[in-house]
Amino acid sequence: MQTNQVLDARGLNCPLPILRTKKALNALQSGETVKVVSTDPGSVKDMTSFCEQTGNRLLSSQQAGSDYEFVIRKT
């Protein structure tokens, strides 16, 4: 899946992956996407909750080795 931006949040713990994701989304136009890569296992629940609360769309969530990858579309 092609994205407009990739955010490397590996090595960061809660709440930093969410805060960086929020900042990245603020810089995007509506309909654009960001891929977030994190190593924090808590980010799976956090990204889901974040998208539900902000209205942005979580297009995919998967684990790739020790990384958690999320693709979010800005609404």
Side-chain angles (χ1 to χ4, degrees):
M1 180 180 296
Q2 188 174 359
T3 59
N4 297 97
Q5 182 178 353
V6 176
L7 173 63
D8 185 356
R10 289 179 281 203
L12 302 176
N13 294 318
C14 185
L16 290 177
I18 292 295
L19 293 175
R20 301 254 172 107
T21 300
K22 181 179 179 182
K23 184 176 180 181
L25 285 167
N26 285 339
L28 297 177
Q29 299 296 316
S30 180
E32 292 184 324
T33 57
V34 62
K35 177 179 180 178
V36 182
V37 182
S38 176
T39 51
D40 180 10
S43 64
V44 175
K45 182 180 173 185
D46 292 344
M47 289 295 175
T48 301
S49 296
F50 171 75
C51 288
E52 288 172 358
Q53 291 174 6
T54 62
N56 294 298
R57 184 158 181 222
L58 182 61
L59 299 177
S60 70
S61 174
Q62 64 184 17
Q63 185 172 357
S66 61
D67 292 344
Y68 300 92
E69 300 177 350
F70 310 94
V71 177
I72 301 170
R73 176 178 289 137
K74 182 175 180 173
T75 55

